[in-house]
Amino acid sequence: MKLRPMSGLAALVVASALVLSGCSTDADKNESNPNASSSTDASLTTTTPEDLKLLEGIEFQSKAENKAPTDVKVAGNLNKLSGASVRVVREGTGDEIPLNSIAEVHMISVDPSGKQIASTYEEGAPQVIPISAATIPQLVTALQGQKVGVRAVFAAPGVATEEGADQPDPTIFLMEVVGVRKAEVVENSDALPQVTRDDKGVPSIEIPKDFKATKNIQVVQLEKGDGEFISPADTIKANYTGWNLKGNQFDTSFDKEAVEFPLSNVIQGWTYGLSGQQVGSKVLLIIPADLGYGPSSKDDADDAATGDLLFVVDIVSKS
């Protein structure tokens, strides 16, 4: 299984937060069934009142309602922030954003003078950020339970990587959640790819003509396990085989041995498709391209791991 870090502005947001607030919390370690609770431990994850006051000095203005922000003003010394911090500046009115979902987010980054650095609005497509206790605690606390359309300011002081080096500029973003996605457990049917196994348990797949993945991750439970529940913060061991929608296999562990990996460091189709499953379960994951390894191009080989993907995953254990 290839590891796939986040890309673009989303990666910068996550990296800034993890440097200042750590990669995980006790809440991650204590999570057993991720579907049993809808909130994280606020004492570990909330932005401080002092940091919120500093964030009040960041103002984004739009020329019209629901349009991309244009003018930005930044007041105050954001290097005085105690860590990665988030302030909701406008509530949304759409679907609720639950814990262990995937938010589609438009982002604008600016420097301390308010000058724009980059914008997903101009790039034409939002990026995806996990709303998980394994990612950015302050961001999760601010956004989970909010609704699509919510806008928030994210900021973090710059951190010098070498002793004696100048402190770099703070990270400043406006983030607008424009959609929310999750894994959907679906009933098996003839309209979906069908999995068969040989006498050694090695899977094969038959894909209906013109089949396409949906916007959300689809999970077909082939066999239900009765072991521990899996969360996005867990490390698991699993056997798997992957195919593209041409029906070509591009990777498998069944001819070797089960592979151990952290769910926080694989494609998001795996992170959220397997979250909520139990050890011993066997599933078919149907993963849209942007939650896998990206879209296909005319130059891709037939066996390339691009476009919409299919994975059969047998969850062996959790560590």
Side-chain angles (χ1 to χ4, degrees):
M1 181 64 186
K2 300 176 185 177
L3 302 183
R4 179 181 171 87
M6 268 185 250
S7 61
L9 295 182
L12 182 56
V13 170
V14 173
S16 300
L18 295 184
V19 165
L20 288 154
S21 55
C23 294
S24 64
T25 68
D26 290 339
D28 301 336
K29 300 173 184 177
N30 294 334
E31 188 175 22
S32 55
N33 180 355
N35 297 320
S37 175
S38 61
S39 62
T40 56
D41 186 339
S43 67
L44 296 173
T45 61
T46 47
T47 298
T48 68
E50 293 78 13
D51 288 344
L52 280 173
K53 189 168 184 62
L54 283 171
L55 294 188
E56 290 175 0
I58 304 173
E59 296 183 6
F60 290 79
Q61 297 179 340
S62 301
K63 290 182 178 179
E65 184 71 17
N66 296 323
K67 296 295 183 180
T70 51
D71 301 322
V72 183
K73 296 180 180 179
V74 180
N77 183 359
L78 295 182
N79 280 317
K80 292 183 178 181
L81 289 168
S82 64
S85 303
V86 183
R87 181 175 76 92
V88 172
V89 296
R90 187 191 74 182
E91 295 188 348
T93 58
D95 294 336
E96 186 173 317
I97 305 167
L99 184 65
N100 294 335
S101 63
I102 301 170
E104 295 178 311
V105 182
H106 268 309
M107 292 182 279
I108 296 174
S109 62
V110 298
D111 67 17
S113 71
K115 181 180 178 181
Q116 181 175 302
I117 299 171
S119 170
T120 60
Y121 290 99
E122 295 179 0
E123 293 168 3
Q127 298 201 6
V128 290
I129 290 182
I131 303 301
S132 163
T135 308
I136 309 172
Q138 294 85 354
L139 190 60
V140 171
T141 300
L143 294 185
Q144 71 162 35
Q146 292 282 344
K147 295 182 178 180
V148 170
V150 62
R151 283 184 179 177
V153 170
F154 171 94
V159 177
T161 56
E162 297 180 5
E163 187 174 352
D166 292 337
Q167 187 175 29
D169 286 341
T171 300
I172 308 168
F173 286 90
L174 174 74
M175 311 176 74
E176 179 180 10
V177 179
V178 295
V180 63
R181 298 159 72 174
K182 56 186 177 181
E184 299 176 334
V185 178
V186 297
E187 294 290 334
N188 204 351
S189 73
D190 292 341
L192 297 175
Q194 295 298 301
V195 177
T196 57
R197 297 182 187 253
D198 64 16
D199 56 5
K200 295 183 180 180
V202 178
S204 300
I205 201 154
E206 184 175 344
I207 306 170
K209 185 179 179 180
D210 298 325
F211 176 81
K212 293 182 180 180
T214 64
K215 186 177 180 180
N216 286 325
I217 305 158
Q218 291 181 295
V219 183
V220 181
Q221 196 162 64
L222 305 173
E223 187 174 319
K224 183 175 174 57
D226 59 4
E228 293 181 273
F229 284 95
I230 304 298
S231 84
D234 287 329
T235 294
I236 68 169
K237 182 178 286 187
N239 268 313
Y240 66 90
T241 298
W243 300 267
N244 57 34
L245 287 197
K246 294 180 180 178
N248 295 318
Q249 178 181 305
F250 57 81
D251 197 8
T252 186
S253 69
F254 281 92
D255 58 357
K256 301 183 275 291
E257 59 183 16
V259 179
E260 186 173 72
F261 49 85
L263 280 179
S264 61
N265 199 27
V266 291
I267 58 174
Q268 292 181 344
W270 272 56
T271 305
Y272 292 93
L274 297 179
S275 178
Q277 293 294 322
Q278 291 175 263
V279 171
S281 291
K282 299 178 180 181
V283 300
L284 168 65
L285 301 180
I286 304 171
I287 300 174
D290 65 341
L291 299 181
Y293 299 107
S296 299
S297 74
K298 63 181 181 180
D299 298 324
D300 286 330
D302 285 345
D303 60 354
T306 55
D308 299 338
L309 300 177
L310 307 170
F311 283 94
V312 167
V313 184
D314 296 358
I315 305 170
V316 176
S317 63
K318 164 182 163 178
S319 57

